[in-house]
Amino acid sequence: MFRMLGLHPGPQIAEATAASMANRSLEETRRILLELDDAGLATEIASGIYTLHDLLHAYARELSEREESEADRDAAIHRLLDHSLFTAVDADRQLEPHRDPIDLPAPCEGTVPEAMESRAAALRWFTQEYPALLRAVELAAARGFDEHAWRLPWALVTYFDLQGRWQPFKASQNVALAAAQRLGNLEAEGRALRHLANASIQM
């Protein structure tokens, strides 16, 4: 679990996200994270939300690169991105239920996205998670997960629009545009350009 935390881009990680990354149950993940907290290797900064000191995060990432295979690291990152994407899409539907949907493949095995039961729950989740979601967008682009690199920014549009967060709105859509162009996906490219136009108008 500690090595998996090193692969997360930060700045904080929810226990549900950690469970998907490590392919473990939420109950087992919660127990292990509490053990890491007791050992001073992770810090619970809010209920179910953990962070690592920068040096510990770097050490965990180093251990992961040394002791985990590249395939296992990629699988953990894939589960992280799927968890972020599918939870964000579910939360977005609570904020804007009539929005035109996008096609989504099934999440990879071991991923357990969170279900949003209300608009208020969706807003709380986005507010808590959006710094980590922005880093997940960058991680997706850096690691070659271009399908996630355009879909995840799409799922953030409604929240950013409601909150007036125009700078991260525009930055994430620039990542989405580049990913769509690498994929040769004209529909995704058109979506990103439309959202960039909206952000530019608002700014």
Side-chain angles (χ1 to χ4, degrees), residues 83-197:
H83 182 96
S84 300
L85 173 62
F86 282 84
T87 306
V89 167
D90 189 58
D92 178 74
R93 288 191 183 119
Q94 289 288 344
L95 299 184
E96 183 49 81
H98 302 297
R99 188 180 178 199
D100 289 340
I102 56 172
D103 292 331
L104 289 172
C108 60
E109 185 177 354
T111 305
V112 185
E114 300 167 68
M116 298 294 130
E117 299 179 355
S118 67
R119 178 184 175 87
L123 280 171
R124 284 195 302 270
W125 184 82
F126 271 127
T127 300
Q128 171 187 289
E129 292 292 321
Y130 92 87
L133 293 171
L134 285 174
R135 293 192 184 187
V137 169
E138 296 170 355
L139 177 66
R143 296 295 292 253
F145 290 93
D146 282 332
E147 296 289 354
H148 295 80
W150 79 261
R151 285 187 171 107
L152 188 51
W154 177 90
L156 293 167
V157 162
T158 304
Y159 174 72
F160 283 157
D161 191 43
L162 287 173
Q163 298 294 312
R165 298 184 186 274
W166 308 121
Q167 290 289 357
F169 188 148
K170 189 171 184 179
S172 61
Q173 288 302 320
N174 276 320
V175 174
L177 177 60
Q181 290 172 338
R182 287 193 295 270
L183 291 166
N185 186 331
L186 292 178
E187 180 185 353
E189 183 177 350
R191 288 178 184 271
L193 286 168
R194 180 160 59 95
H195 296 319
L196 277 170

Side-chain angles (χ1 to χ4, degrees), residues 49-67:
I49 307 296
Y50 291 81
T51 189
L52 271 65
H53 186 280
D54 288 347
L55 291 176
L56 286 171
H57 189 264
Y59 177 55
R61 185 169 59 248
E62 179 185 315
L63 286 178
S64 180
E65 291 172 354
R66 191 169 69 210
E67 299 184 24

